[in-house]
Amino acid sequence: MKRKILGLIETVYIKDTKVRAKVDTGASKSSISKSLVKKLGLGTIKKTTIIKSALGKEKRKIIKAPIKIKGKNLKAFFSVANRKHLSYSVLIGKNILKLGKFLIDPLK
C-alpha cells in the first residue's frame, strides 16, 4: 500500500467543507477553531483535557469529527481552541498523521 504524502499546508474537508489546514509534526493532538466547530455544528464533546502549547497550559474540550485528507476519510479527535489569531482554523497533529499513516514532505 502506497502511503499518501502531505505537505506543511493541506486542503482538507470537514463535513464536506473545504478548509486549509496546517500540518504540525510537533503537535501530538490536532486542533480546530471554536468558530469552525460552531459554523459546521460539529460533534458532541467527548471529554476535556489539559493541552500544553506555546501559550502555556489550557483546558480544552475534545470532539470527534470527520475529516477527509488526500482522499482518506477519517474520524479523528480534535481539541477545540480559539484559533482566531492564527492563519489556519485546523491544525493536523500526530494523532491524525498516525491514523491516516501519512508521510510528510516539507517541500511539497
Side-chain angles (χ1 to χ4, degrees), residues 24-95:
D24 185 351
T25 59
S28 56
K29 294 182 175 73
S30 300
S31 72
I32 189 167
S33 70
K34 289 178 186 178
S35 59
L36 190 58
V37 168
K38 189 175 179 180
K39 176 182 167 187
L40 299 179
L42 292 175
T44 55
I45 296 157
K46 297 293 182 185
K47 61 182 177 177
T48 59
T49 192
I50 302 294
I51 301 288
K52 287 182 248 172
S53 71
L55 303 173
K57 290 182 183 179
E58 173 182 20
K59 189 175 183 178
R60 291 190 193 166
K61 296 171 183 166
I62 305 295
I63 64 164
K64 194 168 193 179
I67 183 167
K68 184 175 182 179
I69 307 172
K70 294 280 184 183
K72 283 191 177 193
N73 290 302
L74 308 168
K75 283 281 263 180
F77 288 103
F78 292 87
S79 69
V80 180
N82 179 358
R83 297 185 59 83
K84 280 184 188 171
H85 62 288
L86 300 169
S87 301
Y88 302 94
S89 56
V90 175
L91 180 120
I92 305 298
K94 287 187 268 192
N95 67 319

Side-chain angles (χ1 to χ4, degrees), residues 12-19 36-37 39-43 65-68:
V12 302
Y13 294 86
I14 298 177
K15 277 185 85 176
D16 296 324
T17 300
K18 188 175 176 179
V19 180
L36 190 58
V37 168
K39 176 182 167 187
L40 299 179
L42 292 175
I67 183 167
K68 184 175 182 179

